Structure formats: structure tokens, C-alpha cells
Amino acid sequence: MRIPRRALFAWAAGLLVGCNGGGDGDAVVTISTPATSSLLTTPTVAPTPAPPPEIVTSADTIFQAGASIVSVVGDLSGGAISFLNRTYQLTKGARSYYAVIPADADDPAGTHPMKVDFVLKNGSKGSMPYQLTIRKTAWTVDSITVGPQLAPLLDPKVQAAELAMLRGIYSQYTPEKLWDGSWALPIGGDVTTRFGEERSYNGAPVSGHHSGTDLGAASGTPVGATNSGRVAMARQVQLRGNMVILDHGGGLFSGYAHLSSFAVAEGEMVRQGDPLGFVGSTGLSTGAHLHWEMAAGAILVDPYRFTDGTNGF
Ligand SMILES: [Zn+2]
């Protein structure tokens, strides 16, 4: 059968309209014939290639349980960083895209490759190699005796369940930077137990690492936010007692445990120094103190290193 040329065009146009009508709904379909002479008369100008992004770190050498802020400066629209078989999304900051790259307490010391995958605003993708060095941290060791009332909390199943619950929060990712500037101590007390301490409870073998920094203070001392963020959790858990967790965006969280009571509720936005609750001794605690945690990409890191300059910021 011979079909007139005009009819064939109308039939093809109908198919196109049908396809679009099933998708976005308000899509406008325009059909135009190509201007066959444009390639001959219009000079083509090659787009200026975007300059490659630049990697800027707060530190190229960090301690076990330390962290480096890795910024990727350029015309980016996103990307991710891989380090030690873990991947961290790049988050849009004020001047660059960044990720807080943690070293786990048990990561091996040495120089390790890091890979920065990026997407430019023009849609092109690229990858850049880099490397970070991890230095060994000397962990303190302590023996702790707890009475019969707290002894049930030493059950490894209780510890594993709470850690799993916390990891569920710490592994969340908010794609916006909610923190700004430098990090502050939540209270003015002295460090009574460092992050990472290896502990023996009631004579049992030494195991694990203390998951935060303990700061000594009198019961009732107001606990301030170490930086701005959103209250991701404010409730009682078994080991950490009354606990507040702040989401600082980009996979960074801070936790405040053993509180006597709360001053915030879940979902609230807070600024640095805002009271979150009050020092207490709830949960697995033998006296009033603040247990302060930080997690980056669900890896627990030493919060004190966010304030003493050893992370390079
Ligand atoms: Zn503690």
C-alpha cells in the first residue's frame, strides 16, 4: 500500500503525543522539522571545558577515631567519596561540596587510597584519587565495677541491640549542611574518660571501645548543643539513659547521654549552645557525668577531636 507523505507524518506525530500524554501530564509536545541548513551557516563553538575540581582537606593525616573534612571545590552538582570500602555522599556546603571522612577506632594505621567521584553542573562525571593517612591512637584501659542493679545491662545482647538502634539513626543522611563554623564542648567539665577506652566490667576480659568522651559535671548542669542541628532523638534508652541525638546534616551526628531530663523534643532545630537537657546519671552510669558521642557516616568518632584541633579544624 502506498501512503501519502503528509499522512505518514501525521501518524508519527500522533504516536509521539500518545507517549508524552502517559507521562508528566502537562508536557507540551511540539513537532518541528529540522532546519537542514543550520549546520552549514552557524559556526559551532565548542563549550569551554569546566576546570577540574580541587580537593581541600582539613587534614591529610588523622588519628584512629579522628575525621577529616574533605571539600571538593569546583562547579559541582554532587558526588561521593570512597574510603576503606565505605562511601560518603558529598553534601553542599557554603563554598564547596564536602564529606566528613571518619577513621574507625579499629581501622589499620597507614596510608590508604581515597576516591572522589564527582558530577559537574554540565552533567559530566569524573573521578580523582587521593589518600589519607591514619595514625595509631593509644587507647586507655580501665576496670569498672558495677553493682547488681546495673549488672543486667552488661549483657552483650543489650549492648548489641542499643548499638543497632543507634546505628539506625547514625546511618541516616540529611542532604543539607545544618552545622556551621567551629565545634564547642557541650559543658565545661574535665574529660573523665576518653573516647575509645578499652574496658573490663566486673573483672570480665577487656572488650570494645568506649563510644564517646565523658565530661564530669554536677547533676543538673545544662548541656549545650556542640553545633547547630535538628533533634533526631530525645528519649530514654537502656545503656545511655536519657539521650539526645542531633543531626548536623551530611551524615554527621552528636549524642548526649545519661541526662537527668530533657530540654528539647524530637524535630526541634537548635543552635550551638542551646540547652538540650541536664547532666544526670541515667542508664549504665555510676555517677553524674555527660557521655558525649559523635558519628560520621555511622562510624563513631572521638568528639573531643572536633574541638582540640587534631582533626585540622
Ligand atoms: Zn561514656
Side-chain angles (χ1 to χ4, degrees):
M1 187 179 72
R2 189 165 177 272
I3 302 171
R5 205 168 166 226
R6 186 179 295 269
L8 186 65
F9 178 78
W11 173 74
L15 272 186
L16 285 170
V17 171
C19 287
N20 277 277
D24 295 329
D26 58 351
V28 176
V29 178
T30 55
I31 299 167
S32 59
T33 51
T36 52
S37 62
S38 64
L39 287 176
L40 299 173
T41 55
T42 310
T44 53
V45 179
T48 309
E54 189 188 347
I55 299 173
V56 180
T57 68
S58 69
D60 285 351
T61 298
I62 53 178
F63 285 91
Q64 287 170 324
S68 180
I69 299 175
V70 177
S71 301
V72 186
V73 184
D75 226 10
L76 261 64
S77 65
I81 294 178
S82 304
F83 183 61
L84 290 167
N85 298 317
R86 303 183 293 258
T87 302
Y88 308 91
Q89 293 298 312
L90 286 173
T91 303
K92 194 175 191 311
R95 289 168 296 279
S96 66
Y97 276 76
Y98 77 96
V100 179
I101 304 298
D104 188 82
D106 292 323
D107 280 343
T111 298
H112 305 284
M114 186 173 85
K115 187 160 79 80
V116 178
D117 293 310
F118 59 85
V119 182
L120 295 179
K121 281 181 183 157
N122 67 12
S124 63
K125 297 177 178 177
S127 181
M128 288 184 294
Y130 203 81
Q131 56 187 33
L132 289 181
T133 298
I134 297 176
R135 286 181 66 184
K136 207 163 174 48
T137 295
W139 308 115
T140 55
V141 182
D142 198 11
S143 299
I144 292 172
T145 304
V146 299
Q149 287 162 313
L150 292 178
L153 296 179
L154 300 178
D155 184 344
K157 284 184 194 153
V158 174
Q159 313 246 5
E162 186 160 309
L163 207 55
M165 184 277 294
L166 290 177
R167 279 197 201 287
I169 295 173
Y170 290 154
S171 60
Q172 292 170 8
Y173 174 76
T174 299
E176 53 187 313
K177 186 186 179 202
L178 301 177
W179 61 277
D180 192 32
S182 59
W183 298 78
L185 290 168
I187 55 174
D190 293 334
V191 174
T192 55
T193 307
R194 289 170 55 185
F195 176 95
E197 181 172 272
E198 298 171 312
R199 287 173 160 178
S200 159
Y201 280 101
N202 290 354
V206 168
S207 64
H209 291 282
H210 180 227
S211 62
T213 298
D214 287 351
L215 298 168
S219 190
T221 303
V223 174
T226 185
N227 210 316
S228 51
R230 181 184 294 118
V231 180
M233 188 188 94
R235 59 187 160 94
Q236 186 177 19
V237 295
Q238 277 198 289
L239 299 173
R240 289 164 179 77
N242 293 332
M243 184 178 192
V244 171
I245 295 177
L246 294 184
D247 178 359
H248 301 290
L252 198 57
F253 292 84
S254 59
Y256 311 80
H258 306 308
L259 304 175
S260 60
S261 61
F262 299 102
V264 289
E266 292 177 9
E268 274 182 40
M269 299 297 294
V270 297
R271 302 177 72 91
Q272 187 178 65
D274 283 354
L276 307 173
F278 303 91
V279 169
S281 187
T282 53
L284 180 57
S285 169
T286 54
H289 73 284
L290 175 70
H291 171 92
W292 174 34
E293 291 188 354
M294 286 204 72
I299 301 289
L300 285 161
V301 290
D302 184 344
Y304 203 74
R305 292 197 186 281
F306 278 66
T307 63
D308 68 1
T310 53
N311 283 338
F313 56 84

